Amino acid sequence: MKKDLHPEYHTIKIKMTDGTEFETRSTWGKEGDLMTLEIDPSSHPAWTGGKGAMLDAGGQVARFNKRFGGLSLKK
């Protein structure tokens, strides 16, 4: 590899929202730094299926079908 071209790849600790920690390798921070997550798969509704999972319940898709639902491509 060329010198001074690639970022340093080192070990850091990740702290999840529930307090669990694990080590991984990353280019973020310095060797031994702690990355504290505010959102992770154990707490975010996109992964847990909590409220807000359905963003468009009768919104844009329903309006489109109401306006253009009767159109067809047949001549």
Side-chain angles (χ1 to χ4, degrees):
M1 290 194 292
K2 293 182 180 179
K3 291 203 180 273
D4 301 326
L5 179 66
H6 300 282
E8 181 188 343
Y9 194 60
H10 49 269
T11 304
I12 63 167
K13 289 184 180 179
I14 305 290
K15 184 174 183 179
M16 307 286 270
T17 57
D18 62 0
T20 58
E21 292 185 8
F22 65 93
E23 283 190 5
T24 187
R25 295 182 48 89
S26 175
T27 59
W28 179 85
K30 299 182 299 269
E31 178 78 28
D33 279 354
L34 176 67
M35 177 187 284
T36 305
L37 300 179
E38 295 176 6
I39 298 174
D40 64 32
S42 66
S43 66
H44 195 278
W47 287 285
T48 61
K51 288 186 177 183
M54 284 293 291
L55 297 177
D56 190 4
Q60 291 183 345
V61 174
R63 282 195 309 251
F64 178 86
N65 287 335
K66 184 177 176 183
R67 284 180 74 186
F68 304 109
L71 296 179
S72 68
L73 298 174
K74 295 178 184 175
K75 290 186 178 182

